[in-house]
Each structure stands twice: as C-alpha cells, then as structure tokens.
Amino acid sequence: VIRDVETMLESVEAACVAVAHQQALDATKAAYLLSVIIPVFNERQTLPKILDRVDEVMPAGTQTVVVDDASSDGTAEWLASLRPRSDRTVLLRRRNHGKGSAVRMGIRHSQGEIVAIQDADTEYDPIDLLEVIEPIQSGQADVVYGSRYLDGSDDPSIFHRLGNWALTAMSNCMTGQCLTDMETCHKAFRGDLVRTIQIQQCRFGFEPEITGKVARRGIVIAEVPTGSQYRSYEEGKKITWKDGVAALACMWRYRNPGWIFRTMCGPGNF
C-alpha cells in the first residue's frame, strides 16, 4: 500500500512539474499575433481615421500601441478620452523626443509575434501592412519592408524621390542589403527579434539604425510593394533635409564590415 501511495505521489508530482513547465512556456509566448505601433505627433485630424482603419482591416488578435510624442494640437487629449480597450495601449509623453524614440517605446510595450509600424497620417493605408507581414507569417522572412518604389511611385517631388534613392543606395552600401526604400514607414519584424535590438536614435535616424542592426545579424530584409499617398509639408509632412543629413551620419555609425568594397562594386557583390 505504501509503495502504491508513493507511486501515486510521484505521478502527481510529475504532473505538477509538467503543468508548471507548460505554463512557463505559455508565458513566453506572444500575447498577440500582431502588434501595430503607431507613433503620433500632432495628427488630431488623421489619427481617428487610422485607428478606425486598423480596426477595420487588421486580423483578430491584433494589439495596437499608440505613442503620442507630446502633441500640442489636441491629439493627446483625444487619446486620453478614448474608452480603454484590452487590445489597445495608449502611451502619452509629456516631452517630445522624436519618432525613433516613440517607436522604441512602442516596441517595449509590444506583445505580438509580429511587430509592424504604421504612421498616424493617411500617407500609408494600414491595409497594405497585411502584405508586409505575410512573409513573416508564412515563415519566409524575419524582417520585411514595404517599398513605395517596387511598383512605381506617384510622389510628384523629384527632390524627395532623388533624396530617398540616394539614402537607400548609401544604406545598401553600408549594410549589404539590396533595398529600394529604406526610409519607408511600413516595416515589420518578428517580435522576438525586434525586442532584442537596442534602438538609440530618437528621430528619423531610427530607419538607417534598425536597418544596419538587422543587417549586422546576418538577416536579409525582404521587400514587398506598399502604397502611399504623397503628403506635402503644408499637409503636415515633418521630415526635412536636415533629417537626411542626420541619416547619412547614422549610416556611417551603424555601417557593417565590407562597406568599402560594396561602395566600389555595389552591395550585391560583397
């Protein structure tokens, strides 16, 4: 009888250990299939449309992380008035630090298996993010950028198109990637990957920094077409030539070995 009791106790103990182990595994799993990070600065007119659009097109199991970067146009007050939702995290900052800093904060609060970035203006349609995250969902890629130039661009600004081409070409030389649109907003990452990357840049230098650090890990960034509707500075576009200069400095700072050969021979040759 004693032996039977001991055997039963051992079985119960083993079962308890198995349950505890499974609970530990479950705890490490992402709470959501997808986290969409939306950095916001003075987008009171467009943010409600973007949030409605995200709710409309994103799959079930999507977490939305909105980071207001000290808006002064009523955006923060509007966000604070929203009804709390378990699948929406709203973070309000008292001081403006820049888009990169807002994205960094959003990543820290993300819980998705996939983490994607969506701007708060209407230049990018959230429905295009579905195409961007698909290669990650299917296991074909770890990082995907949505390119505005793979299917052509309707950007009427020659200066903007040439600037983007030059920055992307320089980024390719510094990182070894073969991108057509490094500066795109629509970026998606495996959640467990991006949450291990330490982002330092607070403004638009986030784009070349994350590209360089992903490349340093030996990851090839995939690209898919994404749409965009050009927005003028009068309509709220914020990036300027100064950010382009800062981006060049970031590319140099986060360059990868072999950049000299890639600069001379092209990124696809080394």
Side-chain angles (χ1 to χ4, degrees):
V1 173
I2 294 177
R3 184 176 300 173
D4 291 340
V5 171
E6 289 177 344
T7 301
M8 182 181 67
L9 290 175
E10 289 175 357
S11 299
V12 171
E13 182 182 7
C16 290
V17 170
V19 170
H21 179 66
Q22 185 60 47
Q23 289 176 339
L25 288 176
D26 292 341
T28 63
K29 292 181 180 178
Y32 295 91
L33 296 175
L34 171 66
S35 292
V36 178
I37 297 172
I38 307 177
V40 186
F41 179 64
N42 288 346
E43 300 288 0
R44 176 64 182 86
Q45 300 303 314
T46 57
L47 179 59
K49 300 175 184 177
I50 291 298
L51 291 181
D52 287 344
R53 186 64 167 156
V54 168
D55 286 343
E56 177 186 355
V57 303
M58 288 298 135
T62 295
Q63 174 199 26
T64 306
V65 182
V66 185
V67 184
D68 180 79
D69 199 27
S71 294
S72 57
D73 67 343
T75 301
E77 291 77 7
W78 180 79
L79 282 169
S81 71
L82 294 179
R83 176 178 56 86
R85 285 173 34 174
S86 60
D87 60 350
R88 179 183 292 166
T89 301
V90 176
L91 306 169
L92 305 177
R93 311 182 84 171
R94 294 185 178 182
R95 292 181 57 190
N96 178 269
H97 294 278
K99 179 181 178 179
S101 179
V103 170
R104 181 172 63 221
M105 176 176 279
I107 290 173
R108 286 203 305 265
H109 286 81
S110 69
Q111 302 176 56
E113 295 178 10
I114 300 172
V115 174
I117 301 172
Q118 167 68 46
D119 277 351
D121 57 57
T122 53
E123 188 171 344
Y124 292 83
D125 189 337
I127 197 170
D128 291 327
L129 269 182
L130 299 178
E131 298 296 328
V132 178
I133 68 173
E134 195 281 329
I136 302 178
Q137 287 179 309
S138 62
Q140 298 177 352
D142 296 319
V143 180
V144 183
Y145 287 8
S147 172
R148 295 164 290 178
Y149 300 99
L150 281 178
D151 283 348
S153 172
D154 60 356
D155 187 344
S157 171
I158 296 178
F159 174 78
H160 185 255
R161 292 201 305 272
L162 286 176
N164 189 82
W165 172 83
L167 290 175
T168 299
M170 182 60 68
S171 174
N172 287 342
C173 289
M174 294 293 107
T175 64
Q177 300 288 337
C178 293
L179 301 173
T180 62
D181 191 7
M182 179 272 296
E183 292 282 353
T184 180
C185 155
H186 274 175
K187 292 179 168 69
F189 310 84
R190 258 189 23 240
D192 59 345
L193 167 67
V194 75
R195 283 188 284 269
T196 65
I197 298 177
Q198 292 186 352
I199 298 170
Q200 298 173 312
Q201 297 300 311
C202 290
R203 287 184 54 78
F204 294 101
F206 158 78
E207 315 287 1
E209 178 188 5
I210 194 72
T211 303
K213 289 185 174 180
V214 165
R216 186 171 286 273
R217 297 193 180 197
I219 296 171
V220 177
I221 300 172
E223 276 191 313
V224 298
T226 197
S228 69
Q229 304 221 348
Y230 175 75
R231 187 167 76 145
S232 66
Y233 290 100
E234 291 75 17
E235 294 172 310
K237 194 173 187 68
K238 300 177 179 68
I239 193 168
T240 69
W241 66 269
K242 295 180 181 179
D243 295 300
V245 173
L248 290 173
C250 289
M251 291 177 203
W252 176 256
R253 180 175 182 179
Y254 303 111
R255 68 192 184 279
N256 292 329
W259 66 270
I260 295 177
F261 296 94
R262 289 192 296 269
T263 301
M264 293 188 299
C265 304
N269 296 313
F270 191 83

